[in-house]
């Protein structure tokens, strides 16, 4: 009796595990246009079918037919390629979807640009070398140039730049790192060039102290001075009074 309960419990547990791991299936179909001019020859139409993130089949206007990437995809590509009129219909999709809209995209989207905002920070590093990070956020379109300079001379060594990171909302970000050995006469800057900027944006490295640090030091120093003045006043007052008492006690 106890054995069968245990078996039932085990089966229930298995069922639960099964339900937890199989949380659905996803079939995604995407159509996209890749282009570098408004000419039909420079426009490519790609329709792609994916199952659980794995691309299984694709129609590419450059290829002119369906190509399968998995066993299921290969079978279906063959089936689709043999449907009368299907490939002709798909070749026309490039004109209906891409070529028809291309002027619109050029006039209304590709002319837009959004300025980046950028910050220059130092990252912790061991030893006497220092790592500066120039972080650039929220720009569009993606083409951007970041360079490091010392007294306006371009620095070529110690620079690493991350891949362009799409934020997923049309904007992009990028981070560039400079590793260098500081010396007092350095004048390091991060220079950003982007289509949204009339002239390059230059961020100068102000040395070890940021504005925030400088403010904290100023507040601390004022506090210290105020404290010294008050203690001095207190001391003088005390001396004055105690001398008074001394005189009084002597006179009595
Ligand atoms: C667009 O790219 C293709 C190659 O992919 C190239 O042959 C063509 O010259 C390019 N057109 C322009 C306007 O850059």
């Amino acid at each position: 009796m106890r054995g069968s309960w245990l078996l039932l419990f085990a089966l229930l547990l298995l069922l639960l595990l099964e339900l937890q791991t199989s949380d659905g299936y996803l079939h995604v179909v995407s159509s996209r246009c890749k282009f570098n001019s408004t000419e039909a020859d420079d426009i490519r139409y790609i329709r792609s079918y994916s199952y659980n993130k794995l691309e299984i089949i694709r129609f590419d206007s450059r290829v002119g037919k369906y190509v399968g990437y998995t066993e299921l995809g290969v079978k279906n590509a063959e089936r689709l390629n043999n449907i009368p009129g299907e490939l002709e219909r798909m070749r026309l999709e490039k004109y209906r979807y891409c070529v028809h809209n291309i002027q619109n995209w050029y006039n209304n989207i590709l002319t837009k640009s959004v300025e980046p905002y950028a910050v220059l920070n130092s990252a912790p590093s061991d030893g006497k070398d220092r790592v500066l990070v120039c972080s650039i956020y929220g720009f569009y379109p993606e083409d951007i140039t970041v360079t490091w300079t010392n007294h306006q001379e371009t620095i070529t060594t110690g620079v690493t730049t991350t891949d362009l990171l799409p934020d997923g909302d049309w904007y992009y970000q990028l981070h560039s790192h400079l590793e260098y050995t500081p010396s007092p006469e350095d004048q390091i800057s991060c220079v950003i060039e982007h289509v949204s900027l009339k002239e390059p944006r230059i961020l100068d490295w102000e040395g070890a102290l940021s504005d925030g640090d400088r403010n904290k030091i100023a507040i601390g120093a004022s506090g210290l001075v105020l404290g010294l003045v008050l203690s001095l006043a207190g001391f003088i007052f005390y001396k004055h009074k105690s001398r008074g008492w001394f005189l009084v006690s002597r006179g009595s």
Side-chain angles (χ1 to χ4, degrees), residues 35-39 41-44 62 106:
F35 54 91
N36 56 358
S37 87
T38 53
E39 296 297 316
D41 281 348
D42 288 336
I43 302 173
R44 192 169 159 197
R62 281 264 166 86
Y106 266 94

Side-chain angles (χ1 to χ4, degrees), residues 112-157:
K112 304 272 188 288
S113 67
V114 179
E115 272 185 41
Y117 72 95
V119 283
L120 188 52
N121 276 312
S122 78
S125 69
D126 31 74
K128 61 181 172 17
D129 283 356
R130 162 160 266 154
V131 178
L132 298 185
V133 186
C134 189
S135 296
I136 306 151
Y137 301 96
F139 55 90
Y140 178 89
E142 60 188 74
D143 291 319
I144 198 159
T145 312
V146 190
T147 42
W148 292 91
T149 58
N150 190 0
H151 291 284
Q152 274 124 47
E153 297 271 324
T154 305
I155 304 172
T156 48
T157 53

Side-chain angles (χ1 to χ4, degrees), residues 151-212:
H151 291 284
Q152 274 124 47
E153 297 271 324
T154 305
I155 304 172
T156 48
T157 53
V159 176
T160 41
T161 301
T162 60
D163 287 337
L164 185 78
L165 305 167
D167 290 344
D169 54 3
W170 290 75
Y171 299 122
Y172 292 88
Q173 58 175 285
L174 188 78
H175 304 265
S176 183
H177 299 237
L178 171 71
E179 191 172 352
Y180 77 111
T181 312
S183 85
E185 59 271 16
D186 279 343
Q187 207 188 79
I188 308 274
S189 309
C190 169
V191 181
I192 302 158
E193 288 163 273
H194 188 253
V195 68
S196 63
L197 302 168
K198 283 201 191 73
E199 40 197 62
R201 178 161 317 157
I202 300 166
L203 282 85
D204 294 319
W205 178 243
E206 310 274 355
L209 300 182
S210 69
D211 280 354

Side-chain angles (χ1 to χ4, degrees), residues 72-103:
L72 179 72
V74 169
K75 258 186 222 157
N76 274 288
E78 206 180 299
R79 182 180 63 78
L80 287 163
N81 285 336
N82 286 317
I83 295 176
E86 172 66 15
L87 294 182
E88 186 54 25
R89 187 181 73 82
M90 286 305 281
R91 282 177 204 136
L92 288 176
E93 278 295 277
K94 172 174 135 173
Y95 293 88
R96 189 188 68 79
Y97 182 46
C98 305
V99 179
H100 178 72
N101 288 312
I102 195 85
Q103 209 63 53

